[in-house]
Amino acid sequence: AFAASAQAELVEGKDYTVLSKPLPQFQSGKIEVTEFFGYFCVHCQNFDPVLLSYSKTFPKDVYLRTEHVVWMPEMLGLARVAAAVNASGLKYQANPAIYNAIHEQKINLADTATFKSWAAAQKSFDSKKLIAAYDAPASLAAAKKMQSLTETYRIEGTPDVIVGGKYRVIFSSDWANGQKTIGELINKVRQERSGKAAR
């Protein structure tokens, strides 16, 4: 039974949908797994450890890109935190603490002063590095770019995962199953790009 399930065919409309216009990729020649997420979103908090540990096992030709959604101007503050996390390379270390601060401790990290005083007190990651990235003008520019991506690609729910800039994952049951779909879509993109896609 396992062999059959491993070869399970992805079904459009059940496992994934196809974007009407492709999402430009950061690195050409590689397969991008893009996650649109929100630090405020409890589903993202639950999915995050699954996705991050999974991303550590990605083959060489696959990489993870994370973009924070901005549905209203108040979310720009959290998008800026996300941009700083991305720029400082601290996603794996800082994300658990950020989610915990927002969801369990109800700390408003969207507020600049609150975020900086909170970050400065953290021991689980390099807080100086994160604050420096947050203060760099690039973090605000990146947050504004996240806002335009959210609008352009009509991201209406989180987490929203897009593989190869083309296929949007449908999370139907649990996060582990979603992870499996991501893996199958990565293979699909790889086959299509190498011209070996079975038609």
Side-chain angles (χ1 to χ4, degrees):
F2 177 73
S5 67
Q7 294 303 314
E9 283 299 306
L10 291 164
V11 179
E12 185 176 344
K14 184 175 87 75
D15 301 306
Y16 69 93
T17 57
V18 180
L19 293 188
S20 53
K21 60 177 161 191
L23 176 70
Q25 308 287 273
F26 274 180
Q27 302 176 31
S28 62
K30 291 196 172 188
I31 300 169
E32 182 176 280
V33 174
T34 321
E35 181 203 23
F36 283 94
F37 76 102
Y39 279 130
F40 55 82
C41 156
V42 71
H43 300 298
C44 299
Q45 181 184 23
N46 294 331
F47 180 53
D48 197 65
V50 175
L51 181 64
L52 291 186
S53 65
Y54 179 40
S55 71
K56 289 178 176 171
T57 70
F58 280 173
K60 292 266 187 289
D61 63 341
V62 182
Y63 67 97
L64 176 66
R65 164 187 174 187
T66 53
E67 303 282 2
H68 197 286
V69 291
V70 181
W71 288 320
M72 51 190 89
E74 303 87 274
M75 290 182 185
L76 268 172
L78 288 177
R80 187 173 178 182
V81 171
V85 167
N86 285 348
S88 60
L90 291 170
K91 203 185 324 254
Y92 299 87
Q93 297 83 1
N95 266 12
I98 292 170
Y99 277 113
N100 186 53
I102 291 168
H103 292 271
E104 320 319 319
Q105 300 167 284
K106 309 292 182 219
I107 299 171
N108 178 19
L109 298 187
D111 175 75
T112 296
T114 306
F115 168 73
K116 286 178 164 182
S117 62
W118 171 83
Q122 299 308 302
K123 302 279 182 279
S124 60
F125 57 85
D126 185 341
S127 56
K128 283 192 180 68
K129 190 175 177 188
L130 184 62
I131 292 169
Y134 181 90
D135 280 337
S139 72
L140 192 54
K144 287 182 173 154
K145 194 158 183 236
M146 289 177 184
Q147 182 173 21
S148 65
L149 280 170
T150 304
E151 291 161 5
T152 303
Y153 291 93
R154 297 198 177 93
I155 309 299
E156 285 157 8
T158 49
D160 197 340
V161 176
I162 297 162
V163 179
K166 186 175 176 185
Y167 299 117
R168 176 178 270 154
V169 177
I170 296 174
F171 291 102
S172 47
S173 53
D174 57 14
W175 299 126
N177 203 49
Q179 174 185 321
K180 191 167 142 289
T181 303
I182 293 169
E184 288 171 2
L185 285 169
I186 287 170
N187 291 337
K188 180 176 169 66
V189 171
R190 188 183 290 119
Q191 284 175 343
E192 286 172 1
R193 288 187 185 174
S194 61
K196 298 186 194 123
R199 274 280 168 260

